[in-house]
Amino acid sequence: MVISAAAPFGAAGGTNPAGALDPSAPTGTASPFPGNEELPLVDRTVLQTLEEQLGRPDMARNFAKDYSALWGQRERRLVDSLEREDQAVALDAAISLKVSSAMVGGLRLACLAQMLEAAVRHGDLRHAASVLALISIHGPATVNELQHQYLR
């Protein structure tokens, strides 16, 4: 599956990693992403911007380290909340993943988390489970990319 979005991250001054994603679109369609621009696992320009905004590259690196270290807990919280059908916790976990992934430049994972958020909001647990399966693939890949390409 190619994860793509028409609007690049941060377009029009926003920080929506999936600017073109329409959460009200029907679930279960072949590709919920219009456009053909593939989203990277990690966009280093987002990390560079974070370094500049913080004025201290070490703070951005520490955030990326913490993000990587917390991956297992984040994934477990998503899995557990969906298994229990706890919509409030699942929604909170999806939003947390979306925001933190966006901040660390994990555009593909942020976009998937936005898809998960939409599925949970609509009560579509079947679609949420399929998105979670993709998150479980792209999450470790994002962490790996951060560790080998940014945190070295």
Side-chain angles (χ1 to χ4, degrees):
M1 172 184 228
V2 173
I3 306 298
S4 62
F9 199 63
T15 57
N16 182 356
L21 180 61
D22 179 4
S24 65
T27 57
T29 56
S31 178
F33 300 97
N36 58 12
E37 186 178 331
E38 185 173 336
L39 292 173
L41 283 172
V42 176
D43 183 346
R44 298 252 338 222
T45 61
V46 174
L47 289 162
Q48 291 167 345
T49 300
L50 182 61
E51 288 176 1
E52 292 168 9
Q53 289 174 342
L54 295 173
R56 293 185 45 201
D58 62 315
M59 288 180 70
R61 294 178 69 75
N62 286 340
F63 180 74
K65 284 179 190 176
D66 290 345
Y67 176 91
S68 296
L70 291 172
W71 168 249
Q73 291 175 26
R74 288 183 195 280
E75 182 181 31
R76 175 57 32 213
R77 186 169 179 231
L78 285 168
V79 169
D80 289 347
S81 63
L82 288 173
E83 284 178 353
R84 289 189 322 270
E85 297 183 12
D86 187 333
Q87 188 174 6
V89 173
L91 188 59
D92 183 64
I95 292 169
S96 175
L97 178 62
K98 177 181 71 173
V99 171
S100 61
S101 295
M103 289 177 64
V104 82
L107 303 188
R108 192 178 308 176
L109 195 54
C111 195
L112 287 167
Q114 183 170 339
M115 290 175 60
L116 180 61
E117 176 188 355
V120 170
R121 282 188 192 279
H122 288 97
D124 189 347
L125 295 180
R126 183 174 174 193
H127 184 64
S130 67
V131 174
L132 182 58
L134 291 171
I135 287 173
S136 293
I137 293 167
H138 294 281
T142 299
V143 168
N144 187 52
E145 180 93 3
L146 277 171
Q147 291 174 341
H148 290 94
Q149 301 299 324
Y150 180 68
L151 296 172
R152 276 188 164 201

